[in-house]
Amino acid sequence: MVNLFEQLPNRKGTRSVKWDMVKQIYGAHDVQPMWVADMDLEIAQPIKEALKKVIDHGVFGYSYTDDKTDNSIKKWLLTKHDWEINSTSLLYSAGVLEIIHMTVLTYTKPKDKILIQTPVYHPFQSIIKNHQRELVTNSLLLNNGHYTIDFEDLELKFRTGVKLFIFCSPHNPVGRVWKTDELTRVAELAHKYNVMLISDEIHADLVYPGVKHIPIGSLDTPIKNKIITCMAPTKTFNLAGLQVAYAIIPDKTIRTTIYQAFETHGRTMLNTLGITALEAAYEHGFNWLAQLIELLVENLRIVNETFKNRDEVNVIQPEGTYLIWLDFRKSGLTHKQLTLFMQEEAKIGLNSGATFGDEGKGFMRMNIASPTSYVLEGVEKICQALDRIKTPQL
């Protein structure tokens, strides 16, 4: 197996949200965390070395991005995604969600309609509600363990006056990597109904063999230059705590307007170490990422093999991300019972599917970006707990 990722790093006592907030979130210290979307894996050595060089310098004043930063991104997007962009299209931010916040504030007003495709990454809902916008949902269709877009419903919703569509590609939590025809139709409908499109593509690099992520902004569509594509090295290279992201916005007016919103809120400067990590990751992270994909393939195999004969759980096969969407609707448990079962009986900390929308009830999200032995331990705990509730002890 992948030697690079055999050891589980000790993250306890590091202010890790995933590990040090277990009791606060799940009610007990002995719950195995497999929830929040960061990795229990050490970062690539070239990134460590680049960060160490900056730390050894010993001065952490104000920093800015320059041609080196731009070119690192341009090279990465061209190599990984066959997408050639112009440096002037780039807008930097501490995070993808921050870009979405600023877009919502800039291009919508209170009570405007914003659409998301549920079940979907739950902060999308929070952003819409917290800014007093109207939440509109286009439920994904699940047939034979495969999710697709309900385009008929999407068009009906667009007709009601939707102003902004927050698109998730690859999709979190269901793991779909949208195909060209799906992306093209999404863009064409957005153009037809004058809906602004912002695409969260933070998981773009995390796809399984035989699958290719296609940035929606790279396609030749009527709104190609007006799409806001959000990306970052943070999910790919386990750098979330360094807070660095960027948007590709070809339209100068849109880009300038959103940047002015960043200025208004005093959010125009990046973390010095984040800039360094981005450049090192995109210049020297190819081998590390290849090994990570091998690990995810093996971990997914373990999950499938362990659950394959269990009627109570169905593994929705991901095309991308390191997040596994588990369907427990045949377990006989209500969603509330399922949540308590995971915490109290299986002692596993997963993301409750209901947080991703009503369509997620009966589902749980599992993070498999950990050493294989850790993933195996987690899925075996679930199986053992299912056996216990099927055959109660006398």
Side-chain angles (χ1 to χ4, degrees):
M1 195 38 224
V2 186
N3 294 329
L4 184 63
F5 303 127
E6 282 187 345
Q7 298 298 317
L8 181 71
N10 181 7
R11 301 181 63 192
K12 292 181 179 179
T14 64
R15 298 193 181 97
S16 165
V17 170
K18 185 176 185 179
W19 285 83
D20 292 329
M21 296 184 70
V22 164
K23 188 176 190 303
Q24 180 179 335
I25 294 168
Y26 295 103
H29 286 297
D30 59 347
V31 172
Q32 179 178 341
M34 300 184 74
W35 62 296
V36 70
D38 64 15
M39 305 186 204
D40 294 312
L41 306 170
E42 288 194 16
I43 64 173
Q45 189 62 30
I47 305 175
K48 282 187 184 181
E49 292 171 358
L51 291 172
K52 186 176 185 301
K53 184 177 179 180
V54 174
I55 291 169
D56 287 345
H57 179 254
V59 179
F60 302 94
Y62 299 119
S63 300
Y64 62 92
T65 59
D66 55 15
D67 289 345
K68 181 181 179 183
T69 321
D70 295 349
N71 290 334
S72 295
I73 294 171
K74 289 175 62 179
K75 179 182 176 182
W76 183 263
L77 294 180
L78 185 60
T79 304
K80 291 294 294 183
H81 303 295
D82 301 318
W83 190 15
E84 186 171 2
I85 68 163
N86 193 310
S87 296
T88 58
S89 297
L90 289 167
L91 184 152
Y92 291 93
S93 170
V96 164
L97 288 179
E98 189 172 80
I99 300 168
I100 296 173
H101 271 285
M102 294 304 173
T103 303
V104 168
L105 287 171
T106 303
Y107 281 98
T108 67
K109 60 183 184 298
K111 297 184 180 181
D112 276 352
K113 294 180 178 181
I114 300 178
L115 183 140
I116 58 176
Q117 294 179 310
T118 45
V120 74
Y121 184 48
H122 49 87
F124 291 177
Q125 301 177 46
S126 301
I127 291 172
I128 295 167
K129 292 176 180 179
N130 289 342
H131 291 303
Q132 292 81 52
R133 274 55 171 175
E134 181 180 340
L135 174 65
V136 179
T137 60
N138 168 232
S139 300
L140 297 177
L141 301 175
L142 177 59
N143 293 302
N144 298 318
H146 183 74
Y147 280 91
T148 56
I149 296 173
D150 185 343
F151 282 104
E152 182 177 349
D153 179 70
L154 181 63
E155 184 164 12
L156 286 173
K157 298 292 174 59
F158 278 179
R159 284 177 183 168
T160 67
V162 168
K163 298 295 184 182
L164 177 66
F165 176 20
I166 305 174
F167 187 49
C168 195
S169 175
H171 194 281
N172 171 13
V174 308
R176 270 304 313 275
V177 176
W178 306 112
K179 299 184 184 301
T180 301
D181 60 333
E182 294 170 308
L183 295 168
T184 300
R185 193 168 179 193
V186 164
E188 288 175 348
L189 286 173
H191 174 69
K192 181 178 180 179
Y193 294 99
N194 195 30
V195 177
M196 174 168 272
L197 178 58
I198 182 166
S199 184
D200 177 353
E201 304 194 13
I202 198 168
H203 293 276
D205 306 317
L206 299 167
V207 298
Y208 290 86
V211 180
K212 182 173 177 56
H213 171 76
I214 302 167
I216 191 169
S218 71
L219 298 176
D220 188 14
T221 65
I223 59 170
K224 175 180 180 178
N225 291 328
K226 294 189 176 182
I227 293 172
I228 301 167
T229 304
C230 304
M231 290 182 161
T234 50
K235 284 289 183 283
T236 308
F237 293 101
N238 204 24
L239 304 171
L242 294 182
Q243 299 184 328
V244 59
Y246 55 91
I248 299 98
I249 314 174
D251 185 276
K252 182 179 179 181
T253 300
I254 295 173
R255 188 174 63 253
T256 301
T257 303
I258 294 176
Y259 180 76
Q260 288 171 346
F262 275 92
E263 283 190 316
T264 299
H265 290 83
R267 303 291 295 173
T268 58
M269 190 167 293
L270 295 184
N271 182 314
T272 300
L273 296 180
I275 298 170
T276 300
L278 179 151
E279 294 171 356
Y282 282 171
E283 291 293 333
H284 307 292
F286 289 92
N287 182 60
W288 186 93
L289 178 56
Q291 292 184 71
L292 171 64
I293 298 300
E294 288 181 27
L295 175 75
L296 297 181
V297 168
E298 175 62 11
N299 288 352
L300 177 59
R301 186 192 70 78
I302 291 291
V303 173
N304 284 328
E305 187 69 21
T306 306
F307 288 140
K308 71 177 181 180
N309 295 319
R310 310 239 33 142
D311 295 333
E312 310 97 324
V313 54
N314 180 43
V315 182
I316 304 300
Q317 296 304 306
E319 298 168 337
T321 83
Y322 51 72
L323 306 166
I324 308 299
W325 193 232
L326 300 173
D327 183 354
F328 287 92
R329 290 177 298 169
K330 292 183 179 180
S331 68
L333 301 171
T334 66
H335 191 78
K336 183 177 180 180
Q337 290 170 335
L338 176 62
T339 303
L340 291 174
F341 164 80
M342 288 297 171
Q343 294 177 205
E344 299 176 2
E345 188 68 34
K347 294 291 185 179
I348 296 292
L350 305 181
N351 287 101
S352 166
T355 63
F356 300 90
D358 287 342
E359 300 86 348
K361 291 179 178 177
F363 293 79
M364 303 294 285
R365 191 189 76 172
M366 173 185 283
N367 179 345
I368 62 166
S370 301
T372 299
S373 59
Y374 186 78
V375 174
L376 179 60
E377 178 185 356
V379 291
E380 285 185 339
K381 281 183 179 178
I382 294 172
C383 288
Q384 291 162 6
L386 287 169
D387 288 337
R388 287 195 296 272
I389 64 170
K390 282 175 63 176
T391 311
Q393 294 183 359
L394 298 178

